Amino acid sequence: MTITTDAGAQAPAAGPVIRDDLTAEQYHADRTSISSSGLRALLPPGCPAQFKYDRDNPPAPKREFDLGHAAHKLVLGEGPEFRIIDFPDYKKTAAQNQRDEAYALGLVPLLPKEHDQVQAMAEAIRQHPIAGPLFTPGTGRAELSIFWTDRETGIRCRVRPDWLKELPGLVLAADYKTIKSADPDTVSRAIRDHSYHQQDAFYTDGIWAALDPEDMRFVFVFQSKQAPYLITVRELAQQDRDIGRARNQRALRLYADCERTGIWPDWTGPVTEIPTISMPSYDTLRQAEEYLQ
């Protein structure tokens, strides 16, 4: 393992590296490694062609992420600074111009009501019996950048855990996510829809590779974006983590093949015949029972 604090220093390409000097922008701009979000984008409903386009053409900041970025800053102590846009909304051109200027400067624009909201969210975290002690300032490290090489494919990988606590005999990693509602059913669907089980397995593997702990745990902290900003802390079921790891390995093999050949296929790939398509299996079965009997 190599820990690098000098932005100009280079570590051995094949060995694990932990860096505490990279900004989020520098981390996400790295083209020598692939991240968890990249692996997830390679598999359906994504595809390699869309992944490569998005990697080469980074999208503009999205308003939907502003609250999450701001909450991360207050809870973890790391992330872009805020700029308060002193308007009730973005209907006026002046408000829109100030918002766009903030984005250009790498700041998170917040309306006054949004600033009040993220302050209340951070306070709810501090008062929570599990999340509060977990994120206590000074007890962990926020947003370290970890790089390692996947043994099977030789692909360089990277993760950036929100929060790492190194305890006697245990490394505890926590991922903080804001969500419309943190009720367990909605959280469960979010894990499926965003393939967070892949993220869990990938981060776990990266931390094992870089820190070689005696033991480790990875937990999700979900917080509702609606008052009173309730919080659900959960650890993923092992079977889901195993599925996530298998998906990661398939995505890594796909990525390695794309890099080797320079071919980044879409959902169909090279075919000479037009494939068939059907409704989702549940609907096919339901309608077949109703109409084909």
Side-chain angles (χ1 to χ4, degrees), residues 210-237:
L211 292 175
D212 192 24
E214 293 181 38
D215 195 8
M216 78 152 294
R217 295 173 66 183
F218 186 97
V219 300
F220 289 105
V221 179
F222 286 89
Q223 183 173 31
S224 296
K225 290 188 285 188
Q226 58 186 2
Y229 313 114
L230 300 175
I231 297 153
T232 295
V233 182
R234 291 291 188 272
E235 207 167 355
L236 195 64

Side-chain angles (χ1 to χ4, degrees), residues 134-189:
L134 178 61
F135 290 124
T136 299
T139 66
R141 294 188 287 176
E143 298 192 347
L144 293 176
S145 298
I146 297 175
F147 299 81
W148 80 101
T149 299
D150 176 63
R151 292 182 179 180
E152 180 181 330
T153 62
I155 293 298
R156 196 69 171 161
C157 304
R158 72 180 188 272
V159 294
R160 192 173 169 92
D162 283 346
W163 190 250
L164 275 180
K165 292 174 76 84
E166 296 179 68
L167 306 170
L170 174 70
V171 169
L172 180 61
D175 192 77
Y176 170 54
K177 298 184 183 300
T178 57
I179 191 170
K180 182 178 180 181
S181 172
D183 72 275
D185 285 344
T186 299
V187 166
S188 181
R189 290 191 296 271

Side-chain angles (χ1 to χ4, degrees), residues 199-211:
Q199 180 192 7
D200 182 312
F202 199 57
Y203 275 54
T204 297
D205 290 349
I207 293 166
W208 275 111
L211 292 175

Side-chain angles (χ1 to χ4, degrees), residues 229-267:
Y229 313 114
L230 300 175
I231 297 153
T232 295
V233 182
R234 291 291 188 272
E235 207 167 355
L236 195 64
Q238 185 59 48
Q239 181 175 354
D240 287 6
R241 185 179 291 120
D242 292 341
I243 294 171
R245 182 168 288 109
R247 287 174 62 92
N248 288 334
Q249 285 302 312
R250 180 174 297 184
L252 281 165
R253 291 192 295 269
L254 178 59
Y255 178 73
D257 190 53
C258 292
E259 288 281 19
R260 179 181 57 82
T261 63
I263 299 172
W264 300 81
D266 61 14
W267 302 278

